[in-house]
Amino acid sequence: IELVNWINANVTTRVTPSFLTETLSLGQLLEYMKSHAAVPASAQPVPDAEDAKAATVDADRTAAVPAPSDMSHSEVLNPVTLPATAGARVADVQLQYQLNAVELTAAVAQDAAARLKNQLRTVKVPELLTNEFMSDLLEILQDIKDHWASGVLVMEGDSDKVFNHGAPIDSGVSIPEVIARYVDLSRALLDCQNAVLVVRVRGSVRGGGLLFPAVADVCVAASDNDTSFGLPEIHRQMVPGVVSAALARKIGKAQCNYYCMTGRPFSASKAVQLGLVSELLSEETPAEWQTLLRRLQTSAEQAVFMKKREVCSLGSDGEMTEPEQMGTVMGEFFANQDATEHSGSGAAFALPIDCLQLHELSLGGGDGGSVAVLTMCDQAARNTFSAKMNAQLEMVVQKVLSRLDSYRALVLTSSVQHVFHCGANPHEMRRWCSDTSLSRTELAHRMKSLYSAFLQLFSLEIPVVAVLHGKVYGGGCPLALWADYRVGTNELDLHYGNITRGMSPAAQLSELWGHYLPQSRVLEFYYENAHWDGQRCLQEGLVSSLHSTREEAVEQALRLASFVGRQAPQGVQRTRRQVRAKLRSQIIDCEAWAIACSISEKAVFTKIKSQNESFTGLSSAVRTAKLPAAPVSTTTKQPEVAASAKQPWEEDCGVVCMQLAIPARACSSQEVEANFAEAPCSSKCLQRAVG
């Protein structure tokens, strides 16, 4: 009523209480007041204590965002204060743009609409691999990656007698240069996800030419006697190095070794037995080839999905897929079908991105490099997994972070007080439990969809520095462990928490723990439902430094990210690829299926009130001696401190008393020195010691 009276007194448009309650939330109303009446902060109505908190959250989450064309410069900037920093390294923090779902949703929709579906393209493969041909094919593969949603890429030879004979060894060109380009082509073909690769072999295939049938999703060959395969490099004082990496994936290591070491050619029928060729087609019936292409093109969208999600194939780690993994995959497939059916039903309403904030720190170099600062700020849900945050992060990753080469590092932090991330939302999980219409297939996909965007974030070629403060519970643990570097605060509370919640690991946490802790420590952490504070995390090596406040921790993270960002990005990226844990879809999907089974059995979050309680054993006082708090520092190491400097706990821990004990039978040092070299002494202990 007070708000209605205030608006009627200050705005020409008359409103009623029913109009407000039926059409506007409190947050939208406050935004309306600000934009139409220029309300100063002192003149804004102040609700009572309980309504004030709800109003703040509502205003943050539902306030309308102006259209991009109507934004002034001050409105585009997101007014979030980063910590004050000392020194030239991090003093030039610049806010670049506000994350706006109106812009990003339109960009994502435009990108999706522009991507071509069920395409068909044919490439003629020359008899010899030249740098020019490989460069052209690399451009085609990049175009497919950028613009295709699904399609078929056909590669067939120029002639009927020779498909391809590999590198032009006798042409006088630089073979090492050709091999280097060949490595790039091999990687691009293996990573091609948006097209079904179809290879049609007619004539002989030798050496490096076997790359094409080896990487093909579907390979057909002519059934005549002119079609044959072989690796004759060993007879030319060479070795089939790069091609063997792709060929072994297709026909197995043993068979690959045999044909590489003997150089023996094999026929098309033998290639079918080895699994290198899918089918033999007669040249006299060309209709069979056209029928095959038509079938593949018509179902290219489903075939590309199968390829991306490793259906009917080995996983990315070379392991066979599991039924539970495919259960989660099928949930994703059905969800995609539903999304396609409803995509044309109407324009989606774009809410402002209110769960995330993105800022930039300019590194000040000539190359325009910068550090991204991604802040989780879902105050209402306390930074728990949600479809809303996942959708917003997915847009940020796809349309901002992955498209800008200027980002050299990323700092991941949270602005929610006393919270970094709390994992799954218990109320959402309990709603899923009560919905009997949801199958395990749907539940597994829903579960994975809550954090799939985070997995996309960590798969980017950008080093991630995480600032851990407050609660890091459940699903927040893998977000912390996927980061390349972590700094923490004294209030850090790391809590696995699955045992009292009926949950199991997610986001590959079941494997990530093993990269940081031995199995015994992981199980101890799990079974005791323990809470590890900042000091314990520092002791276990889970954080590199501790700080008094979040601001100091963010400053430390910015300094480290700035240092990394100033180094050569090529070396940083290549090192990360080889050192970091790899995303393994098999583990991620199986974890999601396991959680779906627990939800369907209504066995999750059944003890909300006691879910944070920890086990305390009788021997805990002895087993975990409590050390005095170490002094907080803003750096991981202190080179200027002398090595002999006494640590705070050295006088309280260690040997507390000592007593000299002399056994009944002993010999003096003089006796040992005088008699030991030439004859056994009278001490039987010494005699046993020397045999």
Side-chain angles (χ1 to χ4, degrees), residues 376-413:
M376 298 177 288
C377 56
D378 192 351
Q379 296 283 351
R382 306 297 289 172
N383 281 356
T384 53
F385 288 132
S386 66
K388 183 177 181 180
M389 176 179 278
N390 190 78
Q392 294 179 11
L393 181 58
E394 190 172 30
M395 286 191 288
V396 173
V397 171
Q398 292 180 359
K399 303 308 299 181
V400 182
L401 297 177
S402 63
R403 296 299 180 92
L404 298 179
D405 297 333
S406 60
Y407 288 133
R408 302 296 171 78
L410 182 142
V411 174
L412 178 64
T413 183

Side-chain angles (χ1 to χ4, degrees), residues 297-367:
Q297 185 180 8
T298 303
S299 58
E301 194 169 356
Q302 291 76 21
V304 166
F305 176 85
M306 293 173 63
K307 184 174 181 178
K308 288 182 177 180
R309 303 300 286 113
E310 300 170 355
V311 179
C312 302
S313 66
L314 291 176
S316 57
D317 52 4
E319 298 181 0
M320 295 298 294
T321 55
E322 299 290 344
E324 294 82 1
Q325 175 188 0
M326 290 299 106
T328 304
V329 169
M330 291 308 298
E332 180 181 347
F333 177 73
F334 295 137
N336 290 345
Q337 279 190 325
D338 293 340
T340 303
E341 292 175 0
H342 296 91
S343 59
S345 59
F349 178 70
L351 290 173
I353 290 189
D354 52 1
C355 297
L356 300 167
Q357 296 164 346
L358 183 65
H359 307 87
E360 269 187 18
L361 165 66
S362 175
L363 295 176
D367 56 358

Side-chain angles (χ1 to χ4, degrees), residues 353-488:
I353 290 189
D354 52 1
C355 297
L356 300 167
Q357 296 164 346
L358 183 65
H359 307 87
E360 269 187 18
L361 165 66
S362 175
L363 295 176
D367 56 358
S370 59
V371 171
V373 182
L374 184 62
T375 305
M376 298 177 288
C377 56
D378 192 351
Q379 296 283 351
R382 306 297 289 172
N383 281 356
T384 53
F385 288 132
S386 66
K388 183 177 181 180
M389 176 179 278
N390 190 78
Q392 294 179 11
L393 181 58
E394 190 172 30
M395 286 191 288
V396 173
V397 171
Q398 292 180 359
K399 303 308 299 181
V400 182
L401 297 177
S402 63
R403 296 299 180 92
L404 298 179
D405 297 333
S406 60
Y407 288 133
R408 302 296 171 78
L410 182 142
V411 174
L412 178 64
T413 183
S414 164
S415 63
V416 179
Q417 190 175 15
H418 309 306
V419 171
F420 175 76
H421 199 284
C422 289
N425 188 320
H427 306 292
E428 184 71 12
M429 296 297 102
R430 297 179 78 175
R431 278 194 292 269
W432 290 1
C433 288
S434 61
D435 190 347
T436 57
S437 65
L438 294 175
S439 67
R440 286 180 294 170
T441 302
E442 294 171 294
L443 288 170
H445 169 65
R446 283 194 180 190
M447 189 66 213
K448 182 183 174 183
S449 297
L450 294 179
Y451 48 78
S452 59
F454 282 101
L455 298 177
Q456 294 179 31
L457 172 67
F458 293 117
S459 66
L460 296 176
E461 301 255 325
I462 305 175
V464 178
V465 182
V467 179
L468 307 182
H469 80 284
K471 296 179 180 179
V472 184
Y473 283 8
C477 293
L479 304 189
L481 298 183
W482 271 118
D484 301 278
Y485 191 96
R486 288 160 297 280
V487 297

Side-chain angles (χ1 to χ4, degrees), residues 20 44 183 186 281 378 472 494 496 533 537 541 611 656:
L20 294 180
Q44 293 184 14
V183 170
S186 301
L281 297 180
D378 192 351
V472 184
L494 184 69
Y496 196 171
D533 59 12
C537 292
Q611 64 184 9
V656 294

